[in-house]
Amino acid sequence: MKVPSISKQSIFIVLFICFAGTTLGNAGSKENKKTGKIFVIHAPVKNLGDYTKVAKQAARLKPYGRVEVNISTLAEKGFHEIPEGRNFWYEYASYNPTPFKFFPDPKIAPFIPADFAKKNRELLLAKAKILRKYGLGAAFWSYEPNFLPEIFFEEYPHMLGARVDHPRRGNHPAFAPCISVKETQEMYVDMVAKLIRDVPEIHTFFFKTNDAGSGICWSDWQYTGPNGPSHCKNYSMGERMATLMNTFKEGADKAGGDISICLTGSMFSDAEKKDIYEHLPENCYFQSHNSDKVKGINSTIVRNYPVKGMFDPLEIIRNVGLVKDKSANTVFISFRAPYDRDCENIEAIEKFMDLLIDNIDGQQQEEGAMSEEQQLYRMCTEWAGNEEAPLLYDAFKTLDEASQYKRESLKGASAMYWGVSERHITRPLVFAPQLLSTEEESYFMPHVFNTSEEEARMDYTDIHGAHRTLTPGAANTYVSKVNRAIMLFEKVSKNAHEKVFIKDMAIALKIHSSIFRSIGNFAEAQAIRDRNAEKLALPTHRPDKTPTWEGDPDFQPFISIMRDELDNTQELIDVLENGGMDFIAHANEPGYEDTFLLGPDLIGQLKKKRKIMFKHWTDIEGYLASPFK
């Protein structure tokens, strides 16, 4: 390893960081009236003890500017929103925060459970109390306009807006209210005013639309195509968005508050983006194609979910060091797992903040410029000492190279979508899944994301409505690279200052490696099943009796995949039984397991997986000829 030389340096950092790792733009000619740097921390935790820990970490940024922490996480999943049947689109949105789930307008209140809103409101107010204790401001994250119950629109049909669900991801339509209707605007004004009155510390309101539960009338990129009521069809998208943002602002004004509004991570065509940007009200911002040239950064849980505790310092250094736009005055830092299912663990959050603050302090204390490698090596020296710094440095570099390979060669192979929502982690890999009994399917099939149970059963790589493939061998190559990093982390001795965190990182990486090993195995298995679709469509039968050493050319490859997945499953069980459950997101109660959240009895499910695979090991022999002489 070539150790980077270190000279006298400084790092000039000006950050504007969005929770989704994308850029945000301001209103152009309309200057933001706020002054000073603003940090907004996004960490969706329900437990107040954990929230207090997040607040303590956020408070470390107070010397560098105003600090706000998001308070809009729901206390309870919206079970009442999910229709019966395989309506997995609603699972995306079941944890969506929005003002009516805290302070429902009188029109909405009769149509949502009172206890649901009460619990959410109590959690929000308890979090606000914690923030006051630490002298922190508050932020509110939501999806707008969020869909409302069908029975609401039976009572108020003139407020019916766009259909916002995905027709290939559910069997029941969902509609959002039309923001162009005066009564809709009045509802939002009322709810935002109540929100700001109860939590006057809220300074930033940031939201998403046109995805996962929300949508705007006549938008080009609604999943069902542009749609909405005829009375608002002629408004431009910029006019619609300005109306929505001004409604939020009016609600804050009514409560005597002053909020900044940020539209983030939403789906719009380029023409719509341009129009929205040109219509932005004062002190409103947009994730836009012509925004300020700034970078985004977030915790690795965003892309590595369900694994927590992974840490890529080079990624943080790279993104932080390249952001130098002096006009950016707000910093969004996210530790949020997708769809608010979990949050990064506190130890990884602490290390993230350590690195961020170290860079900010370095700016003030030193001169010159420090390279990314020099910053990483300095951190490794602090963590492991001079003797073992080269080893730890190699481990992080190897991990970073693995991540780069994944971005280039495994595009779209998400641990969240493949591993969790398709249940590659826990479902048995067999040649003929149609032979599994209802009892054998009972622990995983209800959570496999597919509107059709038959498709969920028969297509291992139907990812949210589309049949996907991977480059053969790419997943195995990625797993090998991650395993190399694990080996290096495990070589760091017990004398290292950060030995506990390094050991925990190795555990998290083993879980991550196992998930991608499963993804690769299921992808390869489905490719073989696709090639043999005609044989699989037949009843089980005695294959060709001609004796050969090879048998059917796909027989041995499939058996090898099954064996690797069987071994992989046992290795994951071993990891989880030795502390690994702390590093994988899972429900604490069985009723909360869903398509995006693994169950509390994860180890038990993995043992079921192995047992079922053993039972069905010879099913393939009813379709493909085995080797025989």
Side-chain angles (χ1 to χ4, degrees):
M1 182 211 73
K2 183 178 179 181
V3 177
S5 60
I6 299 179
S7 59
K8 205 173 183 183
Q9 311 97 354
S10 74
I11 308 166
F12 184 76
I13 304 173
V14 182
L15 297 168
F16 186 82
I17 304 172
C18 172
F19 81 98
T22 49
T23 61
L24 296 174
N26 64 21
S29 62
K30 295 183 175 74
E31 184 179 349
N32 189 336
K33 294 180 179 180
K34 309 298 178 185
T35 58
K37 193 69 65 184
I38 302 169
F39 297 88
V40 179
I41 310 299
H42 190 9
V45 294
K46 300 177 187 177
N47 181 279
L48 293 178
D50 291 341
Y51 192 78
T52 299
K53 293 176 182 177
V54 171
K56 286 180 180 178
Q57 289 300 317
R60 297 172 63 191
L61 289 169
K62 287 172 65 176
Y64 312 103
R66 176 184 173 88
V67 184
E68 302 169 6
V69 185
N70 179 47
I71 60 169
S72 69
T73 303
L74 300 185
E76 185 61 85
K77 180 179 179 178
F79 289 104
H80 63 282
E81 297 178 318
I82 306 172
E84 291 185 6
R86 301 185 69 82
N87 283 293
F88 292 108
W89 178 86
Y90 286 84
E91 291 284 3
Y92 286 121
S94 58
Y95 285 93
N96 278 7
T98 184
F100 76 74
K101 295 181 181 180
F102 297 88
F103 297 96
D105 183 84
K107 288 186 177 65
I108 298 177
F111 304 103
I112 63 173
D115 190 54
F116 173 73
K118 181 174 180 288
K119 287 180 180 178
N120 295 333
R121 188 163 55 250
E122 288 173 347
L123 179 61
L124 178 139
L125 297 177
K127 287 184 173 182
K129 186 175 180 180
I130 291 170
L131 296 182
R132 292 181 192 120
K133 177 181 176 181
Y134 289 96
L136 299 168
F140 191 93
W141 151 248
S142 66
Y143 290 73
E144 307 298 346
N146 201 86
F147 77 95
L148 286 168
E150 184 177 318
I151 54 175
F152 173 87
F153 293 115
E154 292 176 7
E155 184 72 20
Y156 302 101
H158 56 289
M159 296 174 70
L160 183 68
R163 180 183 174 185
V164 299
D165 65 289
H166 194 307
R168 295 191 182 186
R169 297 175 182 174
N171 294 310
H172 196 89
F175 292 85
C178 175
I179 193 60
S180 301
V181 174
K182 184 178 180 182
E183 284 183 276
T184 303
Q185 298 165 20
E186 291 172 346
M187 281 198 321
Y188 270 107
V189 168
D190 172 63
M191 294 185 294
V192 172
K194 290 177 180 176
L195 175 66
I196 301 301
R197 285 194 192 105
D198 277 39
V199 190
E201 293 84 359
I202 293 176
H203 167 268
T204 302
F205 189 101
F206 59 120
F207 72 103
K208 179 178 184 177
T209 195
N210 285 1
D211 189 31
S214 60
I216 300 290
C217 296
W218 298 107
S219 181
D220 292 342
W221 284 6
Q222 285 294 352
Y223 289 121
T224 56
N227 75 98
S230 56
H231 65 75
C232 72
K233 189 172 184 178
N234 294 324
Y235 292 111
S236 77
M237 193 50 58
E239 291 170 331
R240 297 176 200 276
M241 195 54 61
T243 296
L244 181 59
M245 290 179 165
N246 280 324
T247 299
F248 299 150
K249 289 167 68 69
E250 185 178 345
D253 290 342
K254 184 177 178 180
D258 185 13
I259 58 173
S260 296
I261 299 172
C262 180
L263 170 61
T264 68
S266 303
M267 295 174 53
F268 291 104
S269 66
D270 286 347
E272 288 177 326
K273 290 178 181 179
K274 183 175 184 294
D275 191 49
I276 292 169
Y277 188 82
E278 290 174 350
H279 283 83
L280 284 174
E282 184 177 11
N283 208 30
C284 293
Y285 302 85
F286 177 43
Q287 177 189 329
S288 172
H289 66 300
N290 62 342
S291 62
D292 294 333
K293 295 179 180 179
V294 295
K295 282 282 185 179
I297 193 169
N298 47 42
S299 166
T300 60
I301 194 173
V302 173
R303 70 171 189 271
N304 293 326
Y305 180 88
V307 179
K308 304 188 288 185
M310 291 175 62
F311 185 72
D312 188 348
L314 263 179
E315 180 184 86
I316 298 170
I317 292 167
R318 188 174 295 124
N319 285 312
V320 166
L322 291 175
V323 179
K324 297 181 179 179
D325 187 339
K326 294 182 180 180
S327 67
N329 71 329
T330 303
V331 180
F332 284 81
I333 304 175
S334 178
F335 303 109
R336 169 186 179 257
Y339 313 120
D340 283 27
R341 286 316 196 266
D342 210 325
C343 177
E344 184 61 89
N345 67 23
I346 194 65
E347 292 79 13
I349 291 175
E350 180 182 353
K351 292 296 178 290
F352 186 105
M353 299 298 288
D354 285 345
L355 189 56
L356 176 62
I357 291 171
D358 182 59
N359 283 332
I360 294 174
D361 286 342
Q363 167 200 343
Q364 300 171 354
Q365 296 172 2
E366 301 176 359
E367 298 176 358
M370 182 185 285
S371 70
E372 296 166 3
E373 287 77 14
Q374 288 170 339
Q375 292 177 67
L376 175 62
Y377 194 81
R378 182 176 67 178
M379 188 202 79
C380 291
T381 302
E382 294 170 353
W383 281 26
N386 290 327
E387 289 188 9
E388 294 195 276
L391 177 61
L392 186 57
Y393 175 86
D394 275 349
F396 278 119
K397 285 284 288 183
T398 301
L399 180 60
D400 187 68
E401 290 165 4
S403 297
Q404 179 64 29
Y405 175 85
K406 177 174 171 285
R407 285 190 292 271
E408 294 173 354
S409 303
L410 284 170
K411 294 178 181 178
S414 154
M416 156 71 103
Y417 296 136
W418 292 63
V420 180
S421 68
E422 298 306 316
R423 283 304 192 268
H424 290 168
I425 298 172
T426 55
R427 72 187 296 174
L429 190 161
V430 295
F431 187 72
Q434 69 271 25
L435 299 182
L436 299 185
S437 69
T438 300
E439 173 61 26
E440 288 169 331
E441 289 184 330
S442 63
Y443 74 95
F444 70 88
M445 184 57 71
H447 307 301
V448 177
F449 194 116
N450 204 303
T451 58
S452 163
E453 185 175 285
E454 184 64 13
E455 288 294 320
R457 175 179 297 117
M458 299 303 293
D459 190 350
Y460 286 150
T461 58
D462 180 319
I463 310 299
H464 295 208
H467 183 73
R468 306 290 188 182
T469 60
L470 297 180
T471 302
N476 287 340
T477 300
Y478 175 64
V479 167
S480 296
K481 291 177 181 293
V482 173
N483 288 345
R484 166 69 179 167
I486 293 170
M487 181 189 70
L488 293 171
F489 281 119
E490 290 186 326
K491 284 186 176 181
V492 177
S493 77
K494 296 179 180 179
N495 297 322
H497 178 67
E498 293 292 345
K499 59 183 181 296
V500 174
F501 187 79
I502 295 168
K503 173 179 173 291
D504 288 348
M505 253 205 73
I507 293 173
L509 284 169
K510 285 179 181 179
I511 299 170
H512 178 76
S513 173
S514 174
I515 294 171
F516 271 88
R517 191 170 160 190
S518 288
I519 289 172
N521 283 336
F522 275 92
E524 297 283 355
Q526 187 59 41
I528 292 174
R529 286 172 33 76
D530 288 344
R531 290 198 296 270
N532 292 276
E534 292 185 5
K535 295 176 183 178
L536 274 165
L538 299 173
T540 56
H541 59 282
R542 180 68 63 87
D544 188 351
K545 296 183 182 181
T546 304
T548 67
W549 280 118
E550 297 79 18
D552 189 288
D554 279 328
F555 184 96
Q556 282 298 106
F558 198 93
I559 292 294
S560 296
I561 292 168
M562 281 205 304
R563 179 53 196 259
D564 188 71
E565 187 59 18
L566 190 76
D567 294 342
N568 180 40
T569 304
Q570 184 57 52
E571 290 169 24
L572 180 56
I573 290 170
D574 293 341
V575 173
L576 297 181
E577 287 184 332
N578 288 279
M581 288 296 289
D582 291 338
F583 301 96
I584 186 165
H586 62 277
N588 293 321
E589 299 175 33
Y592 288 84
E593 179 178 3
D594 64 33
T595 191
F596 295 123
L597 188 62
L598 298 167
D601 186 28
L602 179 55
I603 294 171
Q605 291 185 1
L606 291 168
K607 290 179 179 179
K608 283 183 182 179
K609 172 179 179 173
R610 280 178 51 85
K611 186 176 181 179
I612 294 169
M613 287 181 67
F614 270 126
K615 182 179 178 181
H616 291 269
W617 200 264
T618 60
D619 287 354
I620 189 173
E621 295 170 19
Y623 298 90
L624 303 184
S626 63
F628 170 64
K629 268 293 185 181

